[in-house]
Amino acid sequence: DQQVKQNSPSLSVQEGRISILNCDYTNSMFDYFLWYKKYPAEGPTFLISISSIKDKNEDGRFTVFLNKSAKHLSLHIVPSQPGDSAVYFCAARKSLEDKIIFGKGTRLHILP
Amino acid sequence: NAGVTQTPKFRILKIGQSMTLQCTQDMNHNYMYWYRQDPGMGLKLIYYSVGAGITDKGEVPNGYNVSRSTTEDFPLRLELAAPSQTSVYFCASSYSGQIRQADGYTFGSGTRLTVV
């Protein structure tokens, strides 16, 4: 029972273009969503988050959009840079719970 | 500031052996977590702790034990290693489980464990 789904295992994008990573969730009790970035041989690092009371959060080149009715969120990276090549995990937290649930991740390749 | 430190980075165990994965944080975080990541899979929660002396099971606790005697340390114990426990293990910490601030969890760099 996968509550946080990242259906694209990998994505390749040209340097300078927009990268869009998608995430779907099934549990309407989730109230906080996060994106983590992971390089090989390193732990995940926090990238950006969004509360369920918002539909957009922007931080520099990174923007997360939340569509609650569709139970869908997306991470936009503009413009994409070589250092953005990594695995991106979508994660979600249920209201009043102490832990977050991760998706399987999407590997992003930025092509020169 | 070291953040979350995990040792060892790599380990090969034989079936039936035991070991302890060490995790320590220097950020005075109350909450600590152990996750495992299998190839092609997301991170699954093994155990977590909301403070010294308090631990609770996550999604996949079988075959593992934890203790939290201090705020800083949260070791994960494997008593009888099995091939199914071959994975990368990540420790994480946070100020609070009720994550409202933007930074979420701080993760260690992981321990790659192989059971043969």
Side-chain angles (χ1 to χ4, degrees), chain A residues 30-44:
Chain A
F30 288 141
D31 69 344
Y32 203 74
F33 303 89
L34 309 95
W35 284 93
Y36 280 81
K37 177 179 180 179
K38 184 183 180 303
Y39 292 120
E42 295 183 12

Side-chain angles (χ1 to χ4, degrees), chain A residues 13-15 82 110-112:
Chain A
V13 174
Q14 208 76 33
E15 182 180 353
I110 304 301
L111 306 171

